[in-house]
Amino acid sequence: MTSIEARGSELRRLHTAPELLQVVNVWDAVSARVIAELPETRALATASHSIAATFGYEDGEKIPRDLMLDMVGRIVAATELPVSADLERGYGDAGETIRRAIGVGAVGANLEDAMAPFDEAVTAVRAAVRAADAEGVPFALNARTDVFLRSAPPVGGASSAEETTVEQKIEEAVRRGRAFLAEGATCVFVPGKLDEHTIERLVDGLGERMLSVIAVPGSVPPARLQELGVARVSYGPWTQRVALTALRHAAQNLSAGDVLPDGTLLLN
C-alpha cells in the first residue's frame, strides 16, 4: 500500500493543482471501493452525516468518536487513494481527534467551526495543524466555517442574525478563513448553496485555490467552479441520498411487481 506520507503529499498537491479537486463522499468500505475504482477518482472524502446515519445516529457529533474513526479506518483500508475524513467539530478535542484520524490512515480532514466564537474557532484550527505536524504526516486541513449555514451569532455588525446580509456573511467567512489559513489550514470550506457572485467574492478574499465548497442540487457546475478559482468541491451527504433514492425507487418498483433493473452492476 502507498505510504501515508506519499498519500498526504498527494492530497496536499491536489488541493493546489490548477484542476478542481472533486471528491465524491463515501460512508463505508464498499462505497469507498466503488468510487476508488473509477479511473477519474483521485482522492476520497468521508461524510460524517452519512456515516452517522449508517449507524443510526443523527448528524452533529451524536455518533461516538471511536465509532466514527473506526469507519474512517475501514474506508482508508479499502483504497490506496488519499482519504480526507469529515471530523465535524473535533469531538471536543480537535488536536487529539486529528492525531487519531492520522493513526487510522487519514491524510486530510474537515473541521467545522459551527460558528463558535472567533478566537475559539481559530484555536481549534491551530490545535489541528499542530497535531498533524507533530505526527510528521503531510496533512490537508479543510477548515470549515458555517457562516452560511447557521443563523447565530449575528456577524458583520448586524444587530441580529436575521439582519445579517449576504455581504456581511461573505466578510465574516473571509475573516475567519484568512485566520484559518494563517494557522496552517490548506483551504477554507464554506458550505451552503452559493451563487457565482458569492463564490467570486470568497475567492477574491481568500485567494485562488483556497476555497472549498459543497455541491447540492442546483449548485454552480464543477466546470464553472474551476473557472472561478475554487480548489475543491465535495458532495457531503448527497451521495448517500442518491444511493438511498435509487434503493427506495427499486423497492417501490419491486413491490409493484416489477423486476430488478437492467444494468445493475455486481459492485459488492
Side-chain angles (χ1 to χ4, degrees), residues 110-262:
N110 288 2
L111 183 68
E112 62 193 64
D113 65 1
M115 288 308 291
F118 180 84
D119 290 345
E120 181 181 325
V122 173
T123 297
V125 171
R126 182 184 305 128
V129 171
R130 287 181 177 176
D133 288 346
E135 294 301 306
V137 174
F139 196 84
L141 183 66
N142 196 32
R144 167 176 153 174
T145 180
D146 290 338
V147 173
F148 285 88
L149 296 183
R150 292 178 177 256
S151 59
V155 299
S159 59
S160 71
E162 289 72 21
E163 295 176 3
T164 304
T165 67
V166 171
E167 287 301 315
Q168 288 170 330
K169 289 181 179 180
I170 291 170
E171 291 173 4
E172 181 66 8
V174 169
R175 181 173 83 103
R176 286 174 177 251
R178 286 177 173 172
F180 297 163
L181 292 171
E183 293 295 340
T186 304
C187 58
V188 178
F189 183 23
V190 186
K193 189 175 181 180
L194 309 179
D195 59 22
E196 286 198 19
H197 169 74
T198 300
I199 292 170
E200 288 174 341
R201 293 274 283 108
L202 290 169
V203 171
D204 286 344
L206 297 170
E208 288 206 358
R209 311 299 173 207
M210 292 295 177
L211 175 65
S212 173
V213 300
I214 189 171
V216 301
S219 287
V220 177
R224 183 60 179 144
L225 292 176
Q226 177 160 318
E227 293 173 352
L228 293 171
V230 173
R232 164 176 165 168
V233 61
S234 56
Y235 299 88
W238 285 98
T239 48
Q240 189 183 57
R241 289 167 181 166
V242 168
L244 292 175
T245 299
L247 176 62
R248 171 177 269 188
H249 286 166
Q252 288 172 331
N253 292 338
L254 292 170
S255 296
D258 205 347
V259 297
L260 289 169
D262 291 337

Side-chain angles (χ1 to χ4, degrees), residues 3-14 82 107 137-139:
S3 73
I4 190 171
E5 292 80 12
R7 284 182 278 124
S9 295
E10 176 64 3
L11 187 59
R12 292 286 293 267
R13 185 194 71 79
L14 289 170
V107 291
V137 174
F139 196 84

